[in-house]
Amino acid sequence: MEHILVVIPVQDRHKTYLESKAPNAHFIYSSPEEVSDEQLAQANILIGNVPTKRLHAPSNLRWMQLNSAGSDVYCQPNVLDSKTILTNATGAYGLAISEYMLGVSLSLQNKLFLYRDNQREHLWRDEGNVSSIEGSTTLVVGLGDIGGSYARKMKALGSYTIGIRRTATDKPDYLDELYALSDLDELLPRADFVALSLPNSSETYHLMDERRLLLMKSSAILINVGRGTAIDTDALLHVLNKGHLAGCAVDVTDPEPLPPTHPLWDAPRMIITPHISGFYHLPETFERIVRIAGENLEAFLAGKPLRNVVDFSTGYRKR
Amino acid sequence: MEHILVVIPVQDRHKTYLESKAPNAHFIYSSPEEVSDEQLAQANILIGNVPTKRLHAPSNLRWMQLNSAGSDVYCQPNVLDSKTILTNATGAYGLAISEYMLGVSLSLQNKLFLYRDNQREHLWRDEGNVSSIEGSTTLVVGLGDIGGSYARKMKALGSYTIGIRRTATDKPDYLDELYALSDLDELLPRADFVALSLPNSSETYHLMDERRLLLMKSSAILINVGRGTAIDTDALLHVLNKGHLAGCAVDVTDPEPLPPTHPLWDAPRMIITPHISGFYHLPETFERIVRIAGENLEAFLAGKPLRNVVDFSTGYRKR
């Protein structure tokens, strides 16, 4: 009998749904904080992110379903056994995070952050010209569920969309052009919006250094929702203080959390949010995670291929 | 020979364009502030909003093209002669104002205004749950170019769209349902977003009174870009302070400008901007105004029907 350990905060209707996919299995419900070593050692299937330090490549574990899209830390040595299948929650976060990205795009473009500051001072003051999404060019770097959902929205609002992914094949309909990461330098000068939605890797560390920030239009907007390390924070501060870029919005920082004394808090034309665009803040995100887990559970027990299988060697989804 | 008086801030390329539409006319360029009584008396065609107090139903004026979408003040007695044709700039502002409306929708929904306040205090603090446009229901009251453009964007982002206009005929594709204003009370409880984009009239004065505000869902968002008087400000303050509504964003207020001591500035979950969503803040808005004026000029001289003719008796466009 399969031992299925669930550590995501399911309600009764979620339990009913999951159990309907595995009627003969033994379900145990816990949380990442309260789960016991014994429960972890016994589990054949694990649904939810248990802290990596609690996992020592458990030999009974045949499949682990993450509740996160990021999976890099679970690919490190001695976290999971090489025979354990790892799947992530790609597809759950696209809606919430792409709406956040659209929100900060428009906040910067329409100067809503400045008007908020003025409102708090009871100041009826015109802050001048704005720009529009319609007629703009959007460059999305990283075309997972999140970057792809943002590109689709920008396209629907009249932006010309350019995407970058590791291999520039199979251009989706919502992109006008598709390139590989090696083409980034040629594309940056064309974009009004540059949106980064990248996993943590040596390839993406400080991808936006000072040289690349300066390749962007002075009127452009930079958005980062992947990992804070994709941007060189010092370089960003430097170019913003020089008057370069119309604005930058980040939901991830380096260091993270951003210390209270860090100068980035007060950088001009900067929007900082505390890594809140994902999580379970949008109730639909959690519903999607449960659906992915349930569909994968059904497939796993039927010996069929799972969705979102992570390649341990790259930390990315297998394609 | 036609005397054409232009008081909008045209550049040389705009002059070349307008003059190409009336090669035999005499063009005079001025501004609403600097235009002389003599120029006004002589003009057969006037392009741009001259203050109403400067107009005394000039008898030579055969056509006036406004640069604004609102036209109610020009329909009052002794401003224009009853034989003068009045056209407005409907179609010029939809892009700028609908992107503003989308921006404040997402700012409220994603609590970006709260995160802005936290950022200024260097506070890395999670403000909890959000909601999404996808899966929401949007009620647009007033389906001119502005309301229609907003509805189209919300539909493209996955909202279910309901529209209200004076006569509930000819449902556009971007609306799921269309009603008349008399159906408002039945529709308010269904909406997650209620967007007002209405001209000033006795019909729209205090349309959103306390009773109707309370008909809205407690979790709903209210947006007003038409005239400030469409909302009863005291009632709005009252319901917000009681915890009703997830938020309200207004670019127009009553009184306007909002005095520095007015309590609305500090109302909870309230976004106030100083009537900036339109104007010429988006350069494309001005380009559109010039195109409308040029196309109407060509039609006028050819004796063909003009676009955006205002009905003096209603203050609305003739349909």
Side-chain angles (χ1 to χ4, degrees):
Chain A
M1 192 168 65
E2 300 286 352
H3 288 263
I4 303 178
L5 176 58
V6 178
V7 299
I8 58 176
V10 282
Q11 296 166 31
D12 283 346
R13 62 192 170 86
H14 302 122
K15 291 182 184 178
T16 304
Y17 167 74
L18 290 173
E19 291 171 14
S20 76
K21 300 295 188 183
N24 300 316
H26 177 62
F27 278 83
I28 301 162
Y29 297 96
S30 184
S31 71
E33 298 76 28
E34 290 173 7
V35 67
S36 72
D37 286 340
E38 194 188 345
Q39 288 170 330
L40 284 169
Q42 204 174 33
N44 309 119
I45 295 173
L46 173 53
I47 297 178
N49 290 27
V50 168
T52 53
K53 66 173 186 292
R54 298 290 309 281
L55 298 167
H56 309 282
S59 56
N60 284 331
L61 190 64
R62 295 164 56 211
W63 164 45
M64 178 176 188
Q65 170 68 56
L66 298 173
N67 54 254
S68 62
S71 42
D72 48 304
V73 294
Y74 292 91
C75 297
Q76 287 167 5
N78 295 317
V79 175
L80 294 179
D81 186 273
S82 62
K83 286 191 289 294
T84 301
I85 298 170
L86 179 66
T87 56
N88 68 22
T90 292
Y93 293 92
L95 171 60
I97 302 184
S98 65
E99 288 206 4
Y100 164 90
M101 294 166 80
L102 186 59
V104 294
S105 301
L106 288 159
S107 272
L108 287 167
Q109 201 161 40
N110 286 289
K111 302 180 176 173
L112 296 179
F113 64 104
L114 284 184
Y115 287 114
R116 175 65 184 177
D117 294 351
N118 292 347
Q119 180 181 341
R120 299 202 66 194
E121 295 174 33
H122 300 193
L123 200 58
W124 186 271
R125 186 170 71 195
D126 191 323
E127 295 289 350
N129 275 14
V130 300
S131 54
S132 64
I133 289 176
E134 187 173 313
S136 70
T137 296
T138 302
L139 175 62
V140 178
V141 187
L143 283 172
D145 172 40
I146 294 164
S149 297
Y150 177 67
R152 194 180 288 111
K153 290 183 200 309
M154 294 299 272
K155 179 79 184 165
L157 296 171
S159 188
Y160 185 90
T161 50
I162 305 174
I164 286 183
R165 68 171 155 219
R166 276 174 305 150
T167 49
T169 53
D170 301 325
K171 184 179 80 57
D173 284 346
Y174 56 81
L175 289 182
D176 291 298
E177 301 177 26
L178 176 65
Y179 296 93
L181 193 55
S182 53
D183 298 309
L184 180 60
D185 288 5
E186 287 78 57
L187 297 169
L188 286 171
R190 294 175 56 191
D192 300 298
F193 295 94
V194 175
L196 311 176
S197 159
L198 292 161
N200 207 13
S201 79
S202 58
E203 208 179 23
T204 60
Y205 181 83
H206 284 199
L207 183 76
M208 294 304 291
D209 54 14
E210 182 151 345
R211 185 182 65 79
R212 287 213 177 93
L213 289 169
L214 292 173
L215 282 176
M216 288 176 65
K217 288 185 191 177
S218 185
S219 59
I221 284 171
L222 177 64
I223 295 165
N224 188 18
V225 294
R227 291 285 182 266
T229 52
I231 299 178
D232 178 340
T233 305
D234 291 340
L236 175 64
L237 250 175
H238 189 224
V239 305
L240 285 172
N241 281 326
K242 283 202 307 186
H244 189 65
L245 301 185
C248 177
V250 299
D251 190 44
V252 288
T253 58
D254 176 30
E256 183 173 319
L258 199 65
T261 55
H262 199 287
L264 195 67
W265 287 111
D266 295 319
R269 310 179 306 290
M270 184 78 208
I271 292 180
I272 299 171
T273 55
H275 210 142
I276 45 72
S277 65
F279 204 52
Y280 302 146
H281 282 0
L282 183 66
E284 174 62 15
T285 301
F286 188 74
E287 300 299 322
R288 291 179 177 202
I289 291 168
V290 174
R291 280 200 295 275
I292 292 169
E295 284 160 20
N296 267 348
L297 181 55
E298 188 170 16
F300 184 82
L301 296 177
K304 291 183 179 166
L306 302 195
R307 179 176 160 189
N308 295 345
V309 175
V310 176
D311 183 340
F312 280 85
S313 64
T314 65
Y316 284 89
R317 256 186 312 164
K318 288 180 181 164
R319 288 175 58 86
Chain B
M1 193 168 66
E2 301 285 353
H3 288 264
I4 303 178
L5 177 59
V6 178
V7 300
I8 58 175
V10 283
Q11 298 167 30
D12 284 346
R13 63 191 169 84
H14 301 124
K15 292 182 184 178
T16 303
Y17 167 73
L18 289 174
E19 290 170 15
S20 76
K21 299 294 187 183
N24 301 316
H26 178 61
F27 278 82
I28 301 163
Y29 296 97
S30 185
S31 70
E33 297 76 27
E34 291 172 8
V35 67
S36 73
D37 287 340
E38 195 188 343
Q39 289 170 329
L40 285 169
Q42 203 173 35
N44 309 118
I45 294 172
L46 173 53
I47 297 177
N49 291 27
V50 169
T52 53
K53 64 173 187 289
R54 299 289 310 280
L55 297 167
H56 310 282
S59 57
N60 284 330
L61 190 64
R62 294 164 56 210
W63 164 45
M64 178 176 188
Q65 170 67 56
L66 298 173
N67 56 253
S68 61
S71 41
D72 48 304
V73 294
Y74 291 92
C75 297
Q76 287 166 5
N78 297 315
V79 175
L80 294 179
D81 186 273
S82 62
K83 287 190 289 292
T84 302
I85 298 169
L86 179 66
T87 56
N88 68 21
T90 292
Y93 293 91
L95 171 59
I97 302 184
S98 65
E99 287 205 4
Y100 163 90
M101 293 166 80
L102 186 58
V104 293
S105 301
L106 288 159
S107 272
L108 287 168
Q109 199 161 41
N110 287 287
K111 301 181 175 172
L112 297 179
F113 63 104
L114 283 184
Y115 286 114
R116 176 64 185 178
D117 295 350
N118 291 347
Q119 180 181 342
R120 299 203 67 195
E121 295 173 32
H122 300 193
L123 201 56
W124 186 272
R125 186 173 70 195
D126 190 324
E127 294 289 351
N129 274 13
V130 300
S131 54
S132 65
I133 289 177
E134 188 172 312
S136 70
T137 296
T138 301
L139 175 62
V140 178
V141 187
L143 284 172
D145 173 40
I146 295 163
S149 297
Y150 176 67
R152 195 180 287 109
K153 291 183 201 308
M154 294 300 272
K155 179 78 184 164
L157 296 171
S159 189
Y160 185 89
T161 52
I162 304 173
I164 286 183
R165 70 172 154 218
R166 276 176 303 150
T167 48
T169 53
D170 302 326
K171 185 180 78 60
D173 284 346
Y174 56 81
L175 289 182
D176 291 299
E177 302 177 26
L178 176 65
Y179 296 93
L181 194 54
S182 52
D183 298 309
L184 180 60
D185 289 6
E186 286 77 60
L187 298 169
L188 285 171
R190 294 176 55 192
D192 301 297
F193 295 94
V194 175
L196 310 176
S197 158
L198 292 161
N200 208 10
S201 79
S202 57
E203 208 179 21
T204 60
Y205 181 84
H206 283 198
L207 182 76
M208 294 304 290
D209 54 14
E210 182 153 344
R211 187 183 64 82
R212 287 214 178 92
L213 290 169
L214 291 173
L215 282 176
M216 291 176 64
K217 287 185 193 177
S218 185
S219 60
I221 285 171
L222 176 64
I223 295 166
N224 188 17
V225 293
R227 291 285 181 268
T229 52
I231 299 178
D232 177 341
T233 305
D234 292 340
L236 176 63
L237 250 174
H238 189 224
V239 306
L240 286 172
N241 281 326
K242 283 202 305 186
H244 189 66
L245 300 185
C248 177
V250 299
D251 189 43
V252 288
T253 57
D254 175 30
E256 183 173 321
L258 200 65
T261 55
H262 199 287
L264 196 67
W265 287 112
D266 295 318
R269 309 178 308 288
M270 183 77 209
I271 292 181
I272 299 170
T273 56
H275 210 144
I276 44 74
S277 64
F279 206 52
Y280 303 146
H281 283 358
L282 183 67
E284 173 63 14
T285 301
F286 188 73
E287 300 298 323
R288 291 179 176 201
I289 290 167
V290 174
R291 281 200 295 275
I292 292 168
E295 286 161 20
N296 267 349
L297 181 54
E298 187 170 18
F300 183 82
L301 296 177
K304 292 184 179 161
L306 303 194
R307 178 176 159 188
N308 295 346
V309 174
V310 176
D311 183 338
F312 281 85
S313 64
T314 64
Y316 285 88
R317 257 186 311 163
K318 287 181 181 160
R319 288 174 60 88

